[in-house]
Amino acid sequence: MALARALAIEPRVLLLDEPFGALDAQVRKELRKWLREIHDRTGHTTVFVTHDQEEALELADRLVVMSQGAIEQVGTPDDVYDSPNSPFVFSFIGESSTLPVDVENGELWAGGRAIGLGSQAFSGKNARLYFRPHDVELVEDGAALAGVVVASRRVGGTRRVELEIGGAQERVEIDLPFDHPAGERTRIAFRPKRWRLFPSAS
């Protein structure tokens, strides 16, 4: 009803400040679809404020990511998700894992071992590697990241596992097929398929 009253006066801009915040997940999904259909039909410019990244990616034509009152990145949902310009944006928009790495002669190293990734463009030595848990490939041999499973849980049709890398110094999460046989303390080797490097804060 509140939205109908706002649209009745044909506003130039519609401001929606976390309108679905108190609703359960299924209702939120249905209302997102409904709101997107209304927006496409009416053509109203809508400013939609949300802390729900999935909501933002689904509804936005243009996404503005803010942190502590400052704009971090502006772009299409695809641009912001696929090419985040800072560690904050990478971590905030979508799930992510991160590890400290060294860059030597265009190769990435972790824990004193090459991990099968190259980066000629990165100019520093110490960096942090960011990647999405779902965007990895399992490997049987060759240079890779490797860790042992310390926790596991179901996420939809996949299995999300937490890996301990480098003798408990670092932990990351990756997604496995739900029927993957990995159990606690199973060793898994993998490489990120898409990733970004950012300078280390330390």
Side-chain angles (χ1 to χ4, degrees):
M1 291 297 295
L3 184 57
R5 287 196 297 268
L7 290 170
I9 62 173
E10 298 186 357
R12 292 175 61 188
V13 178
L14 187 63
L15 176 60
L16 302 176
D17 188 2
E18 301 204 55
F20 306 150
L23 303 175
D24 65 67
Q26 187 57 40
V27 174
R28 288 170 75 107
K29 279 190 173 183
E30 292 171 2
L31 287 179
R32 286 203 300 260
K33 181 179 178 183
W34 175 74
L35 182 61
R36 183 75 226 193
E37 289 173 353
I38 288 177
H39 177 270
D40 291 342
R41 280 204 309 269
T42 64
H44 284 97
T45 297
T46 303
V47 178
F48 190 99
V49 180
T50 181
H51 285 84
D52 185 321
Q53 298 93 331
E54 184 179 325
E55 205 164 70
L57 290 168
E58 184 174 337
L59 287 171
D61 294 316
R62 190 167 179 79
L63 202 59
V64 180
V65 181
M66 300 187 70
S67 174
Q68 299 180 349
I71 293 174
E72 289 274 341
Q73 187 169 353
V74 180
T76 67
D78 285 346
D79 288 341
V80 174
Y81 187 88
D82 294 332
S83 302
N85 65 6
S86 71
F88 173 82
V89 176
F90 203 117
S91 299
F92 187 71
I93 299 295
E95 297 175 316
S96 66
S97 284
T98 179
L99 281 171
V101 294
D102 292 322
V103 184
E104 297 180 11
N105 299 321
E107 279 192 289
L108 272 57
W109 294 67
R113 298 176 54 185
I115 60 175
L117 302 175
S119 179
Q120 300 295 332
F122 190 79
S123 57
K125 175 179 171 57
N126 300 318
R128 289 200 73 90
L129 172 70
Y130 285 76
F131 59 92
R132 308 285 185 198
H134 67 270
D135 212 359
V136 302
E137 59 181 347
L138 302 182
V139 297
E140 295 294 332
D141 50 36
L145 288 163
V148 295
V149 176
V150 293
S152 174
R153 68 184 189 277
R154 182 163 187 164
V155 179
T158 63
R159 175 78 56 194
R160 175 72 51 84
V161 296
E162 185 175 349
L163 299 178
E164 190 177 85
I165 294 180
Q169 294 181 18
E170 300 289 339
R171 290 191 176 189
V172 300
E173 292 185 328
I174 65 169
D175 289 346
L176 301 176
F178 181 72
D179 58 356
H180 192 281
E184 191 168 342
R185 308 311 296 178
T186 299
R187 184 181 182 278
I188 294 178
F190 71 95
R191 274 193 298 266
K193 291 190 289 188
R194 290 195 297 177
W195 45 275
R196 291 289 304 274
L197 279 183
F198 293 104
S200 177
S202 58

